[in-house]
Amino acid sequence: MLLGYVDEKGVRRGAVRPAKDDALGLESGQGSSYRGATWALVDVVIVNSAGQQPWTPREAIFRGKRGATLPARVVTVGNGEIAPGASLRVLAVADTLPASVGEVFALEVRGSGGRSLVIPGVRFTEGDQ
Amino acid sequence: MTLNLIRLPSGTVIDGWHVVKELGNGGFAVVYLVEKNGKPHALKLARHRDASGDEKKTHARVVQELAILLTLSHPNIVSPRGFGYAETGNVFLVLDYVDGWTLGEWKERKHPTAHEILSVFVKLASALAYMHSKGILHRDLKLENVLIRKSDGEPVIIDYSCATHGHADELTDEGLPPGTDRFRAPEQFRFLRAHLDEHRARYAFQVADEIFALGAMLYELLTDARPTQHRDRFTLNHPIAAPLAARVVNPRVPAALSDLVESMLSRDPTRRPVDTEVLRRELAELLEDPGADYTAPVHPPSEQRQPEPAEGGAPAALAPKGKPRSLRLGQLAAGAAVVVLAAVVALWNVPQEAPTPPAEPHVAARAVPPNVPSAPLKTVSPDMSAPAPMFPGDAGTAPAAVQEDVSVKTQRPEAPKQARAGRAQTAPTLPDVCKGLPLVAALAMGCPGVQVRPEPFTCPAGAQEAMRDELHWRVDGERFQLVIDDRKGREEDPWFPAGADVVGVVPKGVTDPRHLQVAPPGTRFLGGKVYLIPEKTRDGDPGRVVVKYDRVKVPGKDELPVCFVVDLPAEAVKDTAAKSRNWGTGKPVSEWP
């Protein structure tokens, strides 16, 4: 509260739908989104398909349907590399929020080898599904 | 890395065999029409080389099929003509090319009499008796795997890719051998339910299974004017309820023939004809019957006019219909078989041409059209309200509750507490026979208004306690990855029929330390039940698939009650089934939604 991360509105949670990019061999499961007073966060599991190169997510960006973009940090456990056939829990954290956050975002998680996964339909304000 | 075979264009030459065109394309192999010295043959090429990436053992299957066919020589069994390796290293098998119709197509085109059908089945029984005497089982007998040769009308059994002999390596690691659900004997499903938790349990396929499958084929020819049409049908292998006698569905079926089919389809394998030689004699005896009812077409030709082309989007769409077809793969239906609903959840639709619709309670289950709110749906069994029983005798809907000796008179289990006032418990019009049955059985019994949608529920205290104190899970606070139905691959996008029983498993490759600690790979989610919400989501999906598991087996721990829910967007919805990914994340919950 003192640092301003949470205010009286608390933290709101939304659902994140699964996404898949067959061509790039990346897939995410159902996840959750959270929004506090000044930040937004998405929590998903990403799988790097067997047969692909190892993949390390490096940065993320939220793109709003109405044009707003939010750069985001990627937070993972360990060195963050996903071996082929393995999965990793990935958090994408945006430290700033634009005025209107009640919109739908596509979250692009960019990583090594020029491969990235786009997770559409990210909302920060509504209940699960 | 696996080598996925690229489709070969016509004109390609494989080891001297000139490819004319592709005939069929299945999970294990691709079949081509080929020519050598001007003579047509069918060439079956394994999908993979004999390499570590050949997870489906496609190489071994083709080799085993070849080995089996080389030991057989019978006029009604397809003959091998050679084998070798393509340049890519994939093994191939060359077979006699049978220019003919599948049994179903033959039925629709030739309007056969009972006598003619019997004549075919005497030959099939003779071929099976010959095979069985050598210890070989086909294991995928169905209408598509028997061709009637156009030139002489002889039936030929094809596709031995599922076949096995006494000394063969079992190529399926667990559960049931590959095959087609509609033609599986009911005891196979009983076995699956009884061994849900035993990963390595393997069903011992027997001659009685083969007789059941042949009975199912005969039943279809006798009762269905258009057996090639793709639509929901009565399930033939329900664990309790036998299908209506062929003669009840179609009065043109001679009584003695109807009785014989009934005995072939008996729930109790010991009551079927003891072997295929006995069966052959019984069929042959009927063939001698001079009765007039044996010499009339079993369906009037007017009922068998070629149907309109199937509407697009049917999940079970197979190869093009209505054309004479040559040898094709049983595995063509690999994906479709899932949709030809596993026996226990198959919807029973009274065949449209049934002249005497059966009396209640065998009324047709009405399939829910996609995207239509399921207002008429009523709750048969409040599955989502309580975990399924961990012990036989408890009220509930776990697979274990579907027992052979379940009386259809059983009273409905007491309704467990509901979290919220919902649509639940409002089924006043259901026949009593339906009320007492678990969902799965009710579906298969054709009870009307069967539950497709999940009901809101509160997780029982015992399960919440187990999740919190024994498993150290954060209820409502974390997610675990799983393969939703462990019978299917992680990468598959299977059709999930509402009411189906599934077991989920945490796959390899999990790296999250907490996940590894509290739900490591190999953790099995048991008692999974599939539900469907056939309403368009705000993201444009045609619906959602919800799976609720009620027990978990973490390696090294006892089986514990849980409430674990997976909620996935559906890619497609068709009647009471939805297509969705087989991998996702689910969460332990205290209540749902």
Side-chain angles (χ1 to χ4, degrees):
Chain A
M1 290 293 286
L2 294 177
L3 292 173
Y5 289 127
V6 183
D7 60 19
E8 290 189 348
K9 288 180 185 164
V11 175
R12 273 142 289 176
R13 197 186 81 83
V16 175
R17 60 199 311 271
K20 190 173 187 180
D21 189 325
D22 285 324
L24 295 177
L26 295 171
E27 180 174 8
S28 67
Q30 304 94 303
S32 295
S33 65
Y34 304 88
R35 178 197 158 201
T38 59
W39 52 269
L41 182 158
V42 160
D43 177 4
V44 291
V45 171
I46 298 182
V47 175
N48 182 20
S49 300
Q52 295 285 346
Q53 292 295 314
W55 187 70
T56 307
R58 300 204 191 281
E59 58 176 4
I61 188 162
F62 291 97
R63 297 181 197 281
K65 275 195 173 165
R66 282 174 254 147
T69 58
L70 307 176
R73 286 177 290 129
V74 163
V75 179
T76 60
V77 179
N79 69 0
E81 183 178 281
I82 315 179
S87 61
L88 187 68
R89 188 167 173 189
V90 175
L91 307 185
V93 188
D95 290 319
T96 54
L97 285 182
S100 78
V101 287
E103 63 173 302
V104 185
F105 291 89
L107 169 62
E108 181 181 351
V109 184
R110 297 168 172 174
S112 56
R115 292 159 69 202
S116 62
L117 178 66
V118 177
I119 304 171
V122 175
R123 291 172 171 83
F124 291 106
T125 52
E126 293 167 71
D128 211 0
Q129 296 281 353
Chain B
M1 281 293 290
T2 61
L3 178 73
N4 251 320
L5 205 66
I6 302 164
R7 301 277 181 85
L8 299 173
S10 72
T12 308
V13 180
I14 305 173
D15 205 13
W17 300 93
H18 293 256
V19 172
V20 178
K21 62 176 180 180
E22 186 178 305
L23 292 173
N25 188 347
F28 304 141
V30 184
V31 178
Y32 298 95
L33 173 63
V34 296
E35 275 184 3
K36 198 182 231 180
N37 305 326
K39 275 195 73 180
H41 289 83
L43 184 147
K44 189 171 192 174
L45 187 58
R47 279 204 166 274
H48 299 277
R49 288 175 295 179
D50 183 18
S52 56
D54 189 5
E55 283 167 13
K56 288 181 175 171
K57 300 178 183 165
T58 64
H59 170 86
R61 282 179 201 282
V62 170
V63 171
Q64 181 159 307
E65 180 173 4
L66 170 70
I68 285 171
L69 286 174
L70 284 172
T71 65
L72 298 175
S73 174
H74 191 281
N76 302 112
I77 294 175
V78 70
S79 307
R81 293 295 173 207
F83 74 100
Y85 288 86
E87 273 180 43
T88 51
N90 300 46
V91 69
F92 68 82
L93 155 67
V94 180
L95 298 157
D96 261 351
Y97 173 70
V98 182
D99 187 12
W101 295 284
T102 68
L103 261 191
E105 292 165 344
W106 172 73
K107 165 75 195 296
E108 291 175 5
R109 291 168 163 267
K110 292 287 184 176
H111 322 300
T113 64
H115 194 271
E116 287 162 339
I117 291 174
L118 269 168
S119 165
V120 164
F121 274 74
V122 166
K123 288 171 180 165
L124 293 178
S126 158
L128 291 176
Y130 164 77
M131 274 168 50
H132 293 164
S133 72
K134 290 176 167 281
I136 291 166
L137 295 160
H138 185 281
R139 304 202 300 183
D140 194 18
L141 290 172
K142 55 183 174 182
L143 299 182
E144 288 91 337
N145 281 343
V146 173
L147 298 179
I148 303 290
R149 192 158 42 213
K150 286 196 274 186
S151 58
D152 58 5
E154 281 293 302
V156 180
I157 303 175
I158 60 164
D159 195 354
Y160 279 67
S161 56
C162 296
T164 188
H165 58 81
H167 304 295
D169 288 336
E170 180 50 73
L171 297 173
T172 308
D173 286 337
E174 61 193 51
L176 305 181
T180 305
D181 281 344
R182 180 161 179 77
F183 298 89
R184 290 189 193 279
E187 56 268 27
Q188 294 188 33
F189 295 97
R190 287 199 292 268
F191 172 89
L192 259 197
R193 272 189 295 278
H195 296 82
L196 265 184
D197 304 340
E198 295 166 36
H199 216 25
R200 315 302 296 181
R202 197 182 283 160
Y203 179 78
F205 202 93
Q206 294 166 2
V207 168
D209 293 88
E210 214 99 301
I211 290 176
F212 181 92
L214 201 65
M217 293 161 65
L218 188 48
Y219 184 88
E220 298 223 310
L221 292 188
L222 294 174
T223 60
D224 196 334
R226 294 178 192 160
T228 66
Q229 203 175 40
H230 295 295
R231 57 187 161 81
D232 293 329
R233 290 181 161 85
F234 279 95
T235 182
L236 301 176
N237 42 23
H238 184 270
I240 309 162
L244 299 169
R247 192 176 164 76
V248 174
V249 180
N250 179 7
R252 287 173 169 239
V253 177
L257 179 53
S258 180
D259 290 346
L260 176 55
V261 175
E262 203 170 339
S263 82
M264 293 168 77
L265 294 179
S266 172
R267 305 300 90 178
D268 178 358
T270 63
R271 297 176 73 171
R272 295 177 204 147
V274 293
D275 62 34
T276 31
E277 177 53 25
V278 169
L279 174 65
R280 187 196 62 77
R281 286 180 196 156
E282 293 185 25
L283 289 164
E285 186 188 344
L286 296 183
L287 190 58
E288 300 300 310
D289 194 305
D293 47 353
Y294 284 86
T295 53
V298 292
H299 283 99
S302 58
E303 278 186 30
Q304 296 183 275
R305 248 176 254 123
Q306 282 300 302
E308 295 294 308
E311 284 177 25
L318 297 181
K321 288 199 289 274
K323 278 191 291 187
R325 191 174 313 162
S326 55
L327 195 137
R328 41 181 284 196
L329 284 177
Q331 282 69 33
L332 269 178
V338 178
V339 186
V340 182
L341 308 180
V344 285
V345 294
L347 298 172
W348 283 29
N349 278 1
V350 176
Q352 286 155 8
E353 50 282 296
T356 49
E360 88 295 296
H362 292 266
V363 261
R366 260 159 293 284
V368 185
N371 301 331
V372 174
S374 60
L377 292 178
K378 296 185 181 72
T379 300
V380 165
S381 175
D383 310 68
M384 288 296 271
S385 311
M390 298 185 62
F391 308 102
D394 273 2
T397 58
V402 187
Q403 288 164 349
E404 224 183 325
D405 56 355
V406 164
S407 160
V408 289
K409 298 287 184 197
T410 311
Q411 288 306 300
R412 178 187 189 170
E414 201 168 311
K417 61 179 176 287
Q418 288 295 124
R420 286 154 221 185
R423 298 178 309 278
Q425 327 306 334
T426 52
T429 57
L430 284 182
D432 284 347
V433 69
C434 295
K435 289 183 186 169
L437 289 173
L439 171 63
V440 163
L443 267 169
M445 288 290 288
C447 294
V450 111
Q451 181 180 1
V452 170
R453 292 163 171 264
E455 291 291 340
F457 71 95
T458 297
C459 186
Q464 292 204 39
E465 207 177 289
M467 289 193 286
R468 197 179 54 229
D469 299 338
E470 305 281 336
L471 295 160
H472 307 293
W473 287 358
R474 293 177 195 141
V475 179
D476 303 318
E478 63 184 336
R479 287 179 174 272
F480 302 126
Q481 292 179 48
L482 76 165
V483 171
I484 294 159
D485 180 349
D486 74 340
R487 288 169 296 189
K488 315 229 164 60
R490 182 205 163 303
E491 309 271 346
E492 284 182 53
D493 285 13
W495 283 89
F496 290 99
D501 297 313
V502 293
V503 171
V505 64
V506 176
K508 286 179 200 156
V510 170
T511 55
D512 184 74
R514 179 168 166 76
H515 201 317
L516 289 170
Q517 190 185 357
V518 299
T523 296
R524 291 167 66 73
F525 296 94
L526 309 170
K529 183 74 75 182
V530 175
Y531 299 87
L532 195 60
I533 303 178
E535 279 164 21
K536 203 166 183 174
T537 69
R538 63 186 180 190
D539 290 312
D541 310 300
R544 288 153 60 193
V545 175
V546 176
V547 183
K548 187 216 166 191
Y549 301 88
D550 58 37
R551 286 164 290 145
V552 76
K553 177 76 181 72
V554 176
K557 289 194 177 191
D558 290 334
E559 194 174 302
L560 291 166
V562 296
C563 296
F564 188 83
V565 175
V566 177
D567 188 337
L568 281 168
E571 292 160 26
V573 174
K574 172 87 179 168
D575 296 336
T576 52
K579 187 174 165 65
S580 170
R581 305 201 295 178
N582 197 28
W583 172 82
T585 64
K587 51 187 183 180
V589 297
S590 60
E591 62 176 12
W592 190 89

